Amino acid sequence: MTKIAPSILSANFSILKDEIEDVEKGGADYIHVDVMDGHFVPNITIGPLVVKAIRPITSLPLDVHLMIENPDKFIREFADAGADIITVHQETCPHLHRTIQSIKGAGVKAGVVINPATPAELIKPVLPDVDLVLLMTVNPGFGGQIFIPSVLAKIKTIATWRKEMNLSFEIEVDGGINPETAKLCKEAGVDVFVAGNAVFNKEDRKKAIASIRQA
Ligand code: DX5
Ligand code: ZN
């Protein structure tokens, strides 16, 4: 099943509640929350306080994407704040199994993510342990960047491994997703589409979500 996860990074933060309600009514499946620390990525966004503030606004799962160094230090805080899925970058986790175990130990679903230039092989050992694999289709840090097509081959590899290993994690993509790039990703095996600009920069969010889903 195709799922759409609007990224609030592109929302109007002065009316965040209205923005989230709008995409929920518009058919969103997850709310994607981009957490950036100014170290792992060249931008600073939001932390557990905002996750806690939006938790009561929506019944949708909060899909929390941690673009931070030392994510282990903050897993408990994000889980307590109401995250449903916590996704960590392989590039920030020298003890990846341990980090994934600690996310699950906090009672939430665990995701692992790699940047466009990181080989799929580096997450193969943890595939049996995760609920979600996120493949970055831009280098993380900002909304509104251009989709990197070479990631498509990596999506296909992960989808093949999922089948061969008889696993059921979701495959998610993030960055530069619009109806055209979503179509390519869908064909490669993607289930969950994160979209910032392609949803929040459109007047009619319901239509924007539907056009990505139908792609
Ligand atoms: C990128 C973030 C994305 C971003 C996507 O660093 O992880 O979630 O908000 O934005 P768009 O869809 O505009 O590329
Ligand atoms: Zn993201």
Side-chain angles (χ1 to χ4, degrees):
M1 188 190 123
T2 299
K3 294 181 181 174
I4 312 295
S7 163
I8 58 167
L9 189 60
S10 300
N12 179 344
F13 275 75
S14 68
I15 49 162
L16 192 52
K17 182 172 190 274
D18 301 343
E19 295 279 73
I20 290 172
E21 285 172 356
D22 198 23
V23 295
E24 182 163 8
K25 279 195 206 108
D29 299 281
Y30 296 159
I31 298 295
H32 186 80
V33 182
D34 286 308
V35 177
M36 306 186 187
D37 67 350
H39 292 276
F40 177 59
V41 291
N43 193 8
I44 298 178
T45 56
I46 59 176
L49 261 183
V50 173
V51 173
K52 194 174 176 191
I54 65 177
R55 179 64 287 173
I57 292 171
T58 177
S59 58
L60 296 178
L62 298 179
D63 171 29
V64 176
H65 176 193
L66 296 185
M67 287 160 276
I68 62 175
E69 282 175 8
N70 264 316
D72 302 76
K73 268 172 75 178
F74 295 99
I75 285 163
R76 171 57 66 183
E77 237 183 299
F78 280 102
D80 289 349
D84 297 279
I85 307 164
I86 295 178
T87 301
V88 291
H89 273 265
Q90 180 276 333
E91 298 88 352
T92 65
C93 297
H95 312 290
L96 199 46
H97 286 98
R98 179 186 289 157
T99 304
I100 288 161
Q101 283 320 316
S102 111
I103 296 173
K104 289 184 164 175
V108 299
K109 289 187 173 169
V112 66
V113 45
I114 49 176
N115 284 335
T118 302
E121 281 72 14
L122 293 183
I123 55 170
K124 196 173 186 185
V126 296
L127 293 181
D129 303 296
V130 296
D131 301 292
L132 179 140
V133 171
L134 171 54
L135 296 162
M136 291 308 298
T137 38
V138 299
N139 286 285
F142 305 94
Q145 301 184 81
I146 305 289
F147 179 85
I148 299 173
S150 62
V151 181
L152 289 168
K154 208 157 57 171
I155 297 168
K156 288 181 190 152
T157 301
I158 296 284
T160 304
W161 287 346
R162 176 171 65 179
K163 207 170 168 194
E164 284 171 4
M165 296 162 90
N166 201 15
L167 298 171
S168 58
F169 56 81
E170 291 185 321
I171 301 178
E172 182 178 55
V173 280
D174 186 2
I177 296 301
N178 56 42
E180 291 73 49
T181 55
K183 186 172 192 294
L184 302 173
C185 292
K186 181 77 206 172
E187 287 161 5
V190 169
D191 312 291
V192 186
F193 298 83
V194 176
N197 274 269
V199 170
F200 283 106
N201 282 1
K202 294 281 191 293
E203 197 65 40
D204 185 342
R205 274 71 183 271
K206 189 174 182 174
K207 205 170 135 196
I209 290 168
S211 67
I212 299 168
R213 199 190 302 279
Q214 281 151 21

